[in-house]
Structure formats: C-alpha cells, structure tokens
Amino acid sequence: MTLTKWMKHSLLAAVFTVLATSAGLSGATASADEATLSPALKAVQGVWVSGDDATVDAKWTVENDKITASVNGVDYIGKLKLDKDAKPHPAWTIELTDGPGEAKGKEAKGVYKLDGEKLVVNISVPGGDRPKDFDPAEDAVYLFELKKEKKG
C-alpha cells in the first residue's frame, strides 16, 4: 500500500470513527434527557387527543419537555413546565417558542389534573393569568379534556 493510499484509508477510518462516536453521544444525550425528567413530566409523555364529543379538535404531543399542541389545526410549540405541588391545583406552563400571531415568546399558564388515561388542562390565552380552577372563561381561559392516544 502506498503512503498516499494509506493516508486516504486512515482519514476515512478517522472520519467514520468520529461520526459513529457523535451518533452514539447524541443518543446518550436523548436518553439522559429522559432520565432527568420529573415524575410529573414523565406522567404526561405521549399523545393526548380530544374526545369524539369535544367542541374543539385538539392533539397535544409531549416528548421530554417539548410540547406541540394543535388546536383546531393551529399549532403551538413550546417548552412544558409542570409544578405538581402548586396549590390549589398543579400548574401547567408552556413557554411558547412558536405559534400564531403574537403567541411566540409568551407563556400559556394553566392548571391540570391527570387521572390515568385522562388529562384535564384549563389554560389561559398566551400572556394571560393562570386560572385558579377548572372553570373556562370565554376568550381568556380554555378547558381541554384529553385522553391518551393508544399506540398501534
């Protein structure tokens, strides 16, 4: 093997080693994120959808601390923070990174309760005050009753 061929072969081997190591590390990072989730966030992982009789078509996907909430075809994307110890009800806050109009950069604050495969969230419009209970307020606070979507 000539020196030039050996150098090319070694360079390719080095590049593949770096790529393989990088891929392995990125996978480890994703697993580490899941491992550091609070029990409250772990409990709401997955896809949540509105019931057949709901007046609003909603599909919320929670993956780690990222949430994509589609409401009547409008998407809101953000970081989900939960405070299960808040009183009188656990707190649900979405720091919006994307959404319609002026929603981006604001927080949608709410309260939630989780009962097995049922998730109830009463949430304010982005930038609004956190509701104190589960009573919706027209044009300011919206009540979502979601069920966990079955896999498969």
Side-chain angles (χ1 to χ4, degrees):
M1 182 181 289
T2 65
L3 181 61
T4 305
K5 282 185 178 179
W6 180 82
M7 288 176 63
K8 285 181 183 176
H9 183 70
S10 296
L11 180 59
L12 282 173
V15 168
F16 283 122
T17 301
V18 168
L19 289 174
T21 303
S22 297
L25 289 177
S26 66
T29 302
S31 297
D33 288 344
E34 292 173 17
T36 60
L37 290 179
S38 70
L41 270 173
K42 284 181 182 179
V44 298
Q45 296 296 297
V47 179
W48 300 86
V49 295
S50 53
D52 295 335
D53 59 345
T55 57
V56 174
D57 180 32
K59 180 177 182 179
W60 295 11
T61 303
V62 180
E63 185 175 336
N64 294 325
D65 65 349
K66 181 181 176 187
I67 183 168
T68 301
S70 180
V71 180
N72 288 336
V74 178
D75 290 337
Y76 298 83
I77 300 170
K79 183 176 181 179
L80 179 61
K81 292 183 174 183
L82 302 180
D83 180 357
K84 69 175 186 66
D85 297 322
K87 300 292 181 205
H89 302 286
W92 178 285
T93 304
I94 303 172
E95 295 175 350
L96 294 165
T97 55
D98 200 7
E102 296 180 14
K104 185 177 178 178
K106 293 186 178 177
E107 289 185 337
K109 300 174 185 173
V111 292
Y112 78 100
K113 57 184 168 184
L114 181 63
D115 184 15
E117 301 289 304
K118 183 178 178 186
L119 174 65
V120 179
V121 179
N122 199 30
I123 195 161
S124 68
V125 296
D129 293 331
R130 185 179 316 279
K132 306 265 186 262
D133 54 29
F134 292 94
D135 291 327
E138 192 171 323
D139 295 332
V141 178
Y142 298 93
L143 182 67
F144 292 90
E145 294 184 5
L146 307 169
K147 60 183 177 180
K148 191 140 193 191
E149 189 173 72
K150 303 287 184 206
K151 291 182 182 182

